[in-house]
Amino acid sequence: MALLIKGGEIVTAEARYLGDILVEDEVITSIQENIAAPPDAEVIDATGKLVFPGFIDPHVHIHLPFMATFAKDTHATASVAALIGGTTTYIEMVCPSRNEDALEGYHTWKQKAEGNSACDYAFHMGVTRFDAKTEGQLREIVRDGTTSFKIFLSYKNFFGVTDEEMFHTLKLAAELGVITTAHCENAELVSQLQQLLLTKGKTGPEWHEPSRPEAVEAEGTTRFATFLEQTDATGYVVHLSCAAALRVAMEAKMRGVRLHVESVVPHFLLDKTFAERAGVEGMKHIMSPPLRDKRNQTALWAALKAGLIDTVGTDHCPFDTEQKLLGACAFTQIPNGIPGIEERVNLIYTYGVNRGELDIHRFVDALSTRAAKLFGLYPRKGAIQVGSDADLVVYDANYRGIISVTSQHTNNNYNGFEGFAIDGRPSIVTVRGKIQVRDGAFVGEPGRGGFLRREPQYLTKAHAQAVPHVR
Ligand code: URP
Ligand code: ZN
Ligand code: ZN
């Protein structure tokens, strides 16, 4: 059945205009004023509403064995939460531990998603070890359409890679034309600082930030940039949290390093005082890199407005309060992570566009289009164009609400943004033309989502000539 979205104000990364959108066979087939409804079409009246391309979250954790426990969402719960919040595609981090087989891990992560997600999805392949077997496995994974890697410079002995492993991963990534995303904190410094604090009896969640201060993140970012430069690879810093790391990332870009930057919602809106709250209240806000001194938010918002921060993700990673209390005796045992997949779009729309002067086109770019371009999904995703997948968000900017655990869909017993007001929410969300959400309720097909195969897009001329196409 066709779908006709009539009378909305279409807003993309580049343009804003009134128009109707006709959808047939999962894709957009016409964008014009006053399209006559085909006889079989469902017609949505979008008068007075904004129509955005479906939003893309480039950094989520759904299946995640981590810190002696598992993140709480499944694809079934996370995808519904995502869609209700306007996110129609997410990219999940495949994170096998160092002693797991990479290819087995990849298939485990893929199987968990298959048939269970209500929205489309792709993966970043976590490289948590690089040995004789890894290279062949990564080539196979890239051939399968997963064309981005993830490395951790932190989490020593668990996900973290050595400098030698980072070098080999980036060499291979450059050869294959894939982008490498990186968690940039110096693992050794974190580990030493954690031990120092614990031996002084500093065990509460308020000591998490001092154990991984801004300089530790700036060092990790500098080192990642230097390795990119020496390997001719393209990189993407995930969840950059502070001005010090931003500065070194910008310095690297200015000398020609191909480096992109993501920051995540908590670092724009929450600060370290949330993690300094007593007991479990503080633990709810433990993530890495940690929540920072509030002064960093000015730099992050300015860089986002200027397009120096490319994307806004979530690092969605729900652990409930029982899991957080695993760290009751030592902050080093608190599972790191906070959910946000459901809140990202409404929060950045509210505190960026509506109350903070973030240009609405930059908003669409940072939360959708730029991620699609960086990760090989554009213009299938991240665009409102004839031929693009009909992932559309009809947005009601007149809605007013308050974020609360009582109304959330994420599988968790708290919401890190509890009490935040929101100025707007999606009223209709479609995935390839199928209406999945109406006014805050999931009304669609639970298993509609599919795996998005991507092509490598960072092949240099030298490598393109030397290596036959990877697919
Ligand atoms: O605290 C965080 N960020 N938890 C999830 C794992 C990661 O580092 O992305
Ligand atoms: Zn991380
Ligand atoms: Zn993450």
Side-chain angles (χ1 to χ4, degrees):
M1 189 174 73
L3 179 71
L4 181 61
I5 299 180
K6 275 198 89 61
E9 197 174 353
I10 298 167
V11 185
T12 67
E14 305 86 23
R16 181 172 189 157
Y17 55 100
L18 284 173
D20 299 349
I21 302 175
L22 182 64
V23 175
E24 293 160 304
D25 296 331
E26 304 197 350
V27 297
I28 297 171
T29 53
S30 177
I31 308 169
Q32 287 178 52
E33 278 186 65
N34 301 319
I35 298 176
D40 66 334
E42 173 168 0
V43 180
I44 302 288
D45 180 7
T47 310
K49 306 237 168 58
L50 304 172
V51 185
F52 295 124
F55 292 97
I56 299 171
D57 191 336
H59 183 169
V60 308
H61 300 275
I62 296 169
H63 173 57
L64 184 69
F66 185 42
M67 298 190 73
T69 187
F70 289 84
K72 290 214 53 117
D73 264 325
T74 61
H75 282 269
T77 56
S79 62
V80 167
L83 285 166
I84 286 173
T87 291
T88 53
T89 295
Y90 50 66
I91 312 184
E92 187 189 7
M93 301 287 177
V94 175
C95 293
S97 74
R98 268 181 84 76
N99 47 28
E100 270 178 83
D101 182 82
L103 195 56
E104 274 175 29
Y106 179 64
H107 289 301
T108 302
W109 258 259
K110 251 185 110 173
Q111 274 161 15
K112 298 244 175 225
E114 193 143 1
N116 294 319
S117 177
C119 64
D120 287 345
Y121 55 89
F123 300 103
H124 299 300
M125 181 60 208
V127 183
T128 50
R129 189 180 71 215
F130 197 102
D131 60 18
K133 233 169 132 190
T134 313
E135 182 177 327
Q137 295 188 325
L138 291 176
R139 286 180 189 277
E140 192 173 332
I141 289 164
V142 171
R143 273 197 300 273
D144 191 50
T146 288
T147 57
S148 45
F149 296 158
K150 166 72 183 283
I151 55 173
F152 293 89
L153 279 64
S154 61
Y155 307 133
K156 193 178 165 191
N157 300 328
F158 191 66
F159 293 143
V161 286
T162 62
D163 283 357
E164 186 182 354
E165 290 170 317
M166 169 158 60
F167 182 80
H168 292 303
T169 305
L170 294 179
K171 284 296 277 180
L172 181 65
E175 186 209 313
L176 296 177
V178 307
I179 186 169
T180 302
T181 70
H183 175 137
C184 297
E185 290 179 298
N186 183 307
E188 191 56 49
L189 274 171
V190 172
S191 165
Q192 295 299 333
L193 292 175
Q194 285 179 332
Q195 294 323 308
L196 268 181
L197 289 162
L198 290 180
T199 53
K200 289 181 186 158
K202 296 177 171 176
T203 57
E206 70 275 25
W207 298 105
H208 178 70
E209 201 278 341
S211 76
R212 36 211 327 145
E214 294 171 20
V216 162
E217 188 184 344
E219 192 286 333
T221 309
T222 302
R223 191 151 39 93
F224 179 51
T226 306
F227 275 65
L228 289 172
E229 197 170 10
Q230 298 305 323
T231 54
D232 206 19
T234 302
Y236 174 99
V237 178
V238 298
H239 52 38
L240 181 140
S241 74
C242 60
L246 183 63
R247 192 169 301 117
V248 296
M250 291 308 115
E251 279 166 13
K253 271 164 104 90
M254 282 193 304
R255 53 175 205 272
V257 181
R258 289 193 302 278
L259 179 65
H260 303 278
V261 175
E262 167 200 276
S263 292
V264 294
V265 177
H267 292 119
F268 288 98
L269 295 173
L270 309 173
D271 61 58
K272 67 178 184 173
T273 60
F274 283 81
E276 288 167 355
R277 293 174 177 177
V280 78
E281 286 308 312
M283 294 177 197
K284 289 176 181 176
H285 294 96
I286 293 301
M287 67 204 76
S288 295
L291 292 176
R292 299 297 190 190
D293 188 288
K294 202 171 175 55
R295 72 182 151 70
N296 288 287
Q297 291 176 4
T298 312
L300 295 190
W301 280 110
L304 177 63
K305 286 179 194 178
L308 301 173
I309 291 175
D310 292 273
T311 61
V312 179
T314 57
D315 198 8
H316 177 80
C317 189
F319 295 108
D320 67 16
T321 50
E322 195 181 322
Q323 292 171 303
K324 291 282 183 183
L325 284 164
L326 290 169
C329 298
F331 68 87
T332 50
Q333 312 293 315
I334 303 168
N336 287 198
I338 185 172
I341 204 168
E342 192 168 350
E343 294 80 23
R344 176 183 68 131
V345 171
N346 294 333
L347 283 171
I348 300 297
Y349 181 81
T350 302
Y351 296 97
V353 178
N354 220 31
R355 302 190 187 180
E357 296 169 19
L358 177 65
D359 175 84
I360 198 163
H361 304 293
R362 179 82 262 276
F363 161 76
V364 176
D365 188 40
L367 276 73
S368 177
T369 310
R370 187 123 11 147
K373 289 181 175 169
L374 288 173
F375 296 117
L377 293 168
Y378 188 85
R380 179 172 176 192
K381 306 291 188 188
I384 300 184
Q385 289 178 15
V386 171
S388 295
D389 280 358
D391 296 352
L392 296 164
V393 176
V394 179
Y395 200 76
D396 179 1
N398 294 316
Y399 175 85
R400 294 291 176 271
I402 302 285
I403 290 179
S404 172
V405 64
T406 57
S407 50
Q408 76 180 12
H409 299 81
T410 297
N411 186 24
N412 205 4
N413 66 354
Y414 77 93
N415 191 306
F417 303 96
E418 186 73 34
F420 272 70
I422 48 167
D423 303 348
R425 74 166 184 191
S427 61
I428 297 282
V429 180
T430 68
V431 174
R432 284 175 281 106
K434 166 93 185 138
I435 296 176
Q436 296 287 71
V437 169
R438 283 182 200 267
D439 295 324
F442 182 74
V443 294
E445 255 177 57
R448 179 160 185 81
F451 170 55
L452 297 166
R453 297 174 72 87
R454 297 173 288 139
E455 296 286 338
Q457 51 172 23
Y458 296 94
L459 275 178
T460 61
K461 262 197 192 139
H463 285 132
Q465 278 156 11
V467 188
H469 201 261
V470 290
R471 290 177 64 95

